[in-house]
Amino acid sequence: MQDMDDLKIDELIKQVFEEDDDEKRGLLMDKLMDIDPDNPIAKYIKWQSLDDEASVKNLDLLYDAIALLRPQIEITDDLDEVDEDIYSLYVTMLSDLASFLYFSGNKEKAFESAKEFMELDRECYGAARLVYYTILVEQEDFAAVIESAESDICQTPMGEFCRALALFETSDDDDEILDALLTAFAIDPEMAFYILDIWTIDDSEIDSEENDDGYIEEAIMTVAVLAELWSETDDRLSFLTAVTYSFAYITGRLSDPEDIEFIENSYRDIGCLDKMQETRDVLQAMLASGSDQSTIDDEALSILRGSGGLGLFH
């Protein structure tokens, strides 16, 4: 009898993962929970299938699912011995809980889940990492931001942009601060353009096939949070803006004549226009001769690092 139940459970779980309709997924979860009321996968996916209001009222489903899996994570000091699927599922649940609690306003509990997530994650999930760094910045625990980003096994735009922000707030070394921000640019050369609303993500991109894994939604959430953190003070925003526009200018990403005229007048006032134009022309010549954009970006970042921002930040 138990074997038959196990087969039925496996079949229902398979159907759940293949079903796109949330309502039908919920019904399948009900059947699964009738057979196995304490099945953590059933509880988790049942919770996922709920609408916003119901997910708040039934948050215990997610808590219960995590509690049911936790003993399998804690049973050994060697996490490599934990079943890979169970491990991945548990970390995903922590990520969902952290982000849900944070955006529901319960930041204290959100940080608890995010911290546990950071200790376990080895697949570079985004949501809980975003919550973790955001709360540290909000608490102005800049030392923890820097330490966490430097020890994080996943180098992400969220972690590196927050590390740069933390160094901006605490370091007296201009080159160290600039290098940190350019490291964030190296991971995602165009993230800052969206943070500053120079560019916007088109709705068609969200609906595109390229967004099947939810990458664009995650990027939108990251951009929104980083925009809020970096605009918290005028000094932060001014620094990010200066670096972003310098990178945009020398890599040829500025197309509006008014923007170009404004920034060139600013560079003329600072006394670095000739350097900026010369650097831009060299990089554009490389692009015209067949170098791809990533090569141009790498060279631009190297030049900005090696010259202290071409005189912009000293």
Side-chain angles (χ1 to χ4, degrees), residues 8 21 29 37 80 104 117 123 148 151 169 174 181 186 199 205 213 233-234 245 254 257 278 286 301 306 312:
K8 183 62 174 177
D21 184 272
M29 284 301 94
D80 289 333
S104 298
F117 164 90
E123 297 183 22
S148 295
S151 62
E169 292 292 344
D174 291 343
L181 185 54
W199 295 349
E205 295 181 66
D213 59 358
T233 69
D234 290 341
Y245 271 98
L254 291 181
E278 179 183 348
M286 288 175 59
L301 294 172
L312 279 172

Side-chain angles (χ1 to χ4, degrees), residues 15-293:
Q15 291 178 37
V16 166
F17 285 117
E18 293 175 350
E19 180 57 65
D20 294 328
D21 184 272
D22 286 342
E23 185 176 350
K24 292 180 179 178
R25 279 162 62 94
L27 292 173
L28 289 168
M29 284 301 94
D30 288 338
K31 291 182 180 179
L32 180 50
M33 292 175 75
D34 285 341
I35 301 172
D36 184 4
D38 289 328
N39 186 289
I41 298 176
K43 288 177 177 288
Y44 175 52
I45 298 180
K46 176 67 176 178
W47 180 79
Q48 281 189 314
S49 70
L50 301 173
D51 60 30
D52 290 344
E53 184 177 350
S55 62
V56 174
K57 293 179 179 179
N58 293 276
L59 190 57
D60 283 348
L61 284 172
L62 181 53
Y63 274 117
D64 288 348
I66 290 173
L68 287 164
L69 282 187
R70 182 172 281 121
Q72 297 185 53
I73 303 297
E74 295 178 339
I75 199 170
T76 175
D77 292 332
D78 185 1
L79 291 175
D80 289 333
E81 294 182 4
V82 179
D83 180 88
E84 184 176 343
D85 291 336
I86 294 297
Y87 189 100
S88 179
L89 183 63
Y90 183 75
V91 173
T92 303
M93 288 178 182
L94 288 175
S95 183
D96 283 358
L97 180 60
S99 58
F100 183 85
L101 290 171
Y102 178 83
F103 290 108
S104 298
N106 194 337
K107 295 185 179 182
E108 183 176 348
K109 287 189 176 180
F111 188 70
E112 291 176 6
S113 295
K115 187 176 180 181
E116 183 181 0
F117 164 90
M118 292 292 290
E119 292 169 354
L120 295 174
D121 177 50
R122 54 193 182 195
E123 297 183 22
C124 300
Y125 289 116
R129 181 169 273 98
L130 180 149
V131 169
Y132 180 78
Y133 283 112
T134 299
I135 292 176
L136 286 178
V137 173
E138 290 176 343
Q139 294 174 341
E140 298 188 356
D141 191 350
F142 298 126
V145 173
I146 295 167
E147 181 182 355
S148 295
E150 291 178 348
S151 62
D152 197 340
I153 64 167
C154 303
Q155 195 177 40
T156 63
M158 187 66 201
E160 293 305 319
F161 271 103
C162 285
R163 183 173 76 93
L165 186 155
L167 285 168
F168 178 78
E169 292 292 344
T170 59
S171 177
D172 294 326
D173 187 335
D174 291 343
D175 288 335
E176 180 184 38
I177 299 167
L178 177 61
D179 182 75
L181 185 54
L182 294 178
T183 297
F185 275 57
I187 297 172
D188 190 330
E190 298 179 346
M191 176 70 76
F193 294 79
Y194 294 102
I195 294 172
L196 295 173
D197 205 28
I198 298 170
W199 295 349
T200 57
I201 297 176
D202 191 271
D203 289 343
S204 62
E205 295 181 66
I206 300 173
D207 298 329
S208 69
E209 292 183 2
E210 296 178 2
N211 191 38
D212 282 347
D213 59 358
Y215 170 79
I216 294 178
E217 278 98 339
E218 182 179 312
I220 290 172
M221 184 166 60
T222 302
V223 165
V225 171
L226 286 173
E228 187 170 342
L229 296 177
W230 276 93
S231 62
E232 184 68 25
T233 69
D234 290 341
D235 286 344
R236 287 183 194 174
L237 189 59
S238 295
F239 175 64
L240 178 61
T241 300
V243 178
T244 302
Y245 271 98
S246 67
F247 179 73
Y249 182 79
I250 65 176
T251 59
R253 283 182 168 88
L254 291 181
S255 57
D256 189 317
E258 291 186 4
D259 286 345
I260 294 173
E261 181 181 6
F262 175 80
I263 199 170
E264 287 185 342
N265 285 336
S266 299
Y267 293 154
R268 185 178 291 109
D269 292 339
I270 296 171
C272 64
L273 178 59
D274 289 344
K275 286 184 179 179
M276 295 297 288
Q277 288 180 326
E278 179 183 348
T279 303
R280 179 201 59 189
D281 292 345
V282 168
L283 293 176
Q284 290 309 297
M286 288 175 59
L287 190 62
S289 66
S291 296
D292 60 24
Q293 189 63 57

